[in-house]
Amino acid sequence: MRRLKVFTSLVKDSLDIITKGSKKYHLWMAFLTLVILVGMYCYSIQLEHGLSVTGMTDRVSWGLYISNFTFLVGVAAAAVMLVMPTYVLKDIDFKQAVLIGEGLAVAALIMCLAFVVADMGGPSVLWHMIPGFGVFNFPNSMLTWDVIVLNGYLFLNITIPFYILFRHYQGKEAKASVYVPGAILSVFWAVGIHLVTAFLYQGLQARPFWNNALLGPRFLASAFAAGPALIILVLAIIRAFTAFKIEDKTIKKIAMVVTVAAQINIIMLVSELFKEFYAPTHHSESAYYLFFGLDGKTALLPWIWTAISLNVLATVILTFHKLRNNLKVLYFACFILFIAIWIEKGFGLIVPGFIPGPYGKIAEYTPTGIEIGVTLGIWALGALIFTILAKTAIGIETGKLKYKK
């Protein structure tokens, strides 16, 4: 009964703190709400007319939605790079940022599930993904495994921070015996969610562009580069606009994680390029289309070469110690690295897998305004959820939110 009373008090205090703030905070929340409403309007058009209003066709059946889904799974998995050193290795330098990282993972996972709903055409078919009701096809379907691991990881990233914040709200220390086992499990689970997503592509024998043994490890390398890079940018914003203190050494340690992951990602990219172009076969046509164009079709050329240029530039900047330790330069490098990997794991991975088609036909894909509107709406939803979670967590950690007995 007492816990219910404390929980009720926490909810009331949280609602109070997230509805109050500076003018900039209210403008930010209003902007996100506006973008969400635009996204909902675009989605209503899609619900009425179906996926025909998107740029997807029977030739290219995965587009902007699945591209963002794939990328955001990596962002969610990246929280493990803060969870492991904090909860498992007891590195206090990461402790300041771990709750922010887990909040980012929750927002990313909710966006992942939203993009899946958008790609399925509508929520009316979601019952197929419920065990015992729909055609779940367990354990044969890799998509089934993806549903399980994503929801399991979402559960872990909600319950562990909630327990810690619930204890701190009452002025008590969280018991390590309660949350550490879950934290250790989340480390393995984070690796699992991205590997299973990679296996979704690797297991499609008719798509040789994805039949690559490096796909799973490269998914992890790019995730552990883009995810922590985003965390650094978020921490920079939190440092600038809130009273929550993030020390420079915390950001610099996360930057080291980004640097190593970015370097590994570049090495794997070179390995893939060598495999595709040193001794090309007809299975290399998708890669040729992506990097050089095919039969005059060059829609993805500016995207992928921009991504590679930004990727290399960011990795070079991060590699040099003096540049990396300059926070303004670090933020710039993290920003362009995040954009580069978003392009690379989005359009650069999903679309070329469908081109050329089974009979050699090249049907290029271009997202429509409806798709872009829905995508922006989902990203705004994720940003809104993260803002609410972060504001509540910061309030508790700074002592503004306390349980009044």
Side-chain angles (χ1 to χ4, degrees), residues 257-296:
V257 173
V258 177
T259 302
V260 174
Q263 290 169 341
I264 294 172
N265 186 51
I266 287 289
I267 293 169
M268 289 184 176
L269 172 63
V270 172
S271 178
E272 285 187 0
L273 293 176
F274 178 82
K275 186 268 290 186
E276 295 287 2
F277 300 124
Y278 182 73
T281 67
H282 66 283
H283 291 309
S284 303
E285 287 186 335
S286 296
Y288 266 99
Y289 166 72
L290 175 63
F291 289 100
F292 304 109
L294 204 60
D295 294 346

Side-chain angles (χ1 to χ4, degrees), residues 8-281:
T8 304
S9 175
L10 174 59
V11 172
K12 289 180 179 177
D13 287 346
S14 299
L15 288 173
D16 183 60
I17 199 171
I18 64 176
T19 53
K20 294 178 181 177
S22 65
K23 186 177 180 180
K24 289 180 180 179
Y25 171 74
H26 285 294
L27 286 173
W28 168 246
M29 297 298 275
F31 169 73
L32 292 178
T33 303
L34 176 63
V35 177
I36 291 170
L37 290 174
V38 172
M40 290 173 65
Y41 172 71
C42 292
Y43 186 60
S44 70
I45 296 175
Q46 181 178 305
L47 281 178
E48 183 178 355
H49 298 283
L51 291 173
S52 62
V53 298
T54 72
M56 292 181 283
T57 62
D58 58 342
R59 300 286 183 181
V60 182
S61 53
W62 285 346
L64 194 59
Y65 299 151
I66 294 299
S67 297
N68 279 278
F69 162 77
T70 306
F71 174 73
L72 285 166
V73 170
V75 173
V80 74
M81 302 309 291
L82 300 180
V83 169
M84 185 166 63
T86 303
Y87 297 145
V88 182
L89 303 178
K90 307 296 182 184
D91 191 327
I92 60 172
D93 291 338
F94 284 92
K95 193 173 183 180
Q96 294 173 304
V98 66
L99 290 173
I100 302 300
E102 289 183 316
L104 203 60
V106 170
L109 287 166
I110 291 172
M111 285 191 282
C112 284
L113 297 174
F115 276 117
V116 170
V117 173
D119 188 73
M120 292 176 75
S124 59
V125 294
L126 281 180
W127 67 276
H128 282 298
M129 304 179 76
I130 303 174
F133 292 93
V135 187
F136 205 54
N137 199 19
F138 181 84
N140 298 324
S141 170
M142 287 308 303
L143 185 58
T144 298
W145 284 101
D146 209 34
V147 170
I148 291 171
V149 294
L150 283 174
N151 283 283
Y153 191 60
L154 177 61
F155 175 78
L156 289 171
N157 276 278
I158 290 176
T159 53
I160 295 172
F162 176 76
Y163 167 73
I164 294 170
L165 291 171
F166 190 70
R167 295 283 293 183
H168 290 177
Y169 177 68
Q170 300 173 74
K172 301 176 181 178
E173 280 298 318
K175 296 178 181 177
S177 58
V178 175
Y179 67 82
V180 167
I184 294 173
L185 178 61
S186 73
V187 171
F188 296 99
W189 213 291
V191 175
I193 66 170
H194 222 28
L195 282 181
V196 170
T197 305
F199 294 162
L200 271 173
Y201 303 110
Q202 283 180 293
L204 300 175
Q205 296 92 334
R207 306 293 176 187
F209 185 68
W210 298 330
N211 296 152
N212 186 342
L214 270 181
L215 195 62
R218 187 153 182 243
F219 264 36
L220 291 174
S222 60
F224 295 153
L230 179 59
I231 291 171
I232 288 174
L233 295 174
V234 169
L235 292 178
I237 294 170
I238 289 173
R239 290 210 319 175
F241 293 100
T242 73
F244 193 58
K245 301 300 179 185
I246 306 291
E247 295 185 15
D248 287 355
K249 61 181 179 180
T250 301
I251 292 179
K252 288 176 181 178
K253 278 194 173 185
I254 301 173
M256 183 58 71
V257 173
V258 177
T259 302
V260 174
Q263 290 169 341
I264 294 172
N265 186 51
I266 287 289
I267 293 169
M268 289 184 176
L269 172 63
V270 172
S271 178
E272 285 187 0
L273 293 176
F274 178 82
K275 186 268 290 186
E276 295 287 2
F277 300 124
Y278 182 73
T281 67

Side-chain angles (χ1 to χ4, degrees), residues 248-397:
D248 287 355
K249 61 181 179 180
T250 301
I251 292 179
K252 288 176 181 178
K253 278 194 173 185
I254 301 173
M256 183 58 71
V257 173
V258 177
T259 302
V260 174
Q263 290 169 341
I264 294 172
N265 186 51
I266 287 289
I267 293 169
M268 289 184 176
L269 172 63
V270 172
S271 178
E272 285 187 0
L273 293 176
F274 178 82
K275 186 268 290 186
E276 295 287 2
F277 300 124
Y278 182 73
T281 67
H282 66 283
H283 291 309
S284 303
E285 287 186 335
S286 296
Y288 266 99
Y289 166 72
L290 175 63
F291 289 100
F292 304 109
L294 204 60
D295 294 346
K297 306 291 187 179
T298 59
L300 291 183
L301 231 59
W303 289 93
I304 193 62
W305 285 109
T306 298
I308 290 177
S309 301
L310 294 178
N311 207 336
V312 171
L313 176 60
T315 305
V316 170
I317 291 173
L318 291 168
T319 300
F320 289 97
H321 187 71
K322 286 185 178 180
L323 293 175
R324 189 175 66 246
N325 281 343
N326 184 321
L327 290 183
K328 289 184 179 179
V329 176
L330 173 64
Y331 298 153
F332 171 73
C334 287
F335 176 74
I336 63 173
L337 181 65
F338 182 82
I339 297 297
I341 294 177
W342 178 80
I343 296 172
E344 185 187 318
K345 286 183 74 176
F347 289 136
L349 172 71
I350 305 303
V351 177
F354 294 98
I355 299 172
Y359 302 105
K361 184 177 179 180
I362 299 174
E364 293 194 292
Y365 163 79
T366 303
T368 63
I370 298 297
E371 276 180 283
I372 294 170
V374 173
T375 299
L376 291 176
I378 293 174
W379 273 94
L381 173 65
L384 185 75
I385 291 170
F386 173 74
T387 303
I388 292 170
L389 294 175
K391 203 167 194 305
T392 303
I394 290 170
I396 293 173
E397 293 299 294

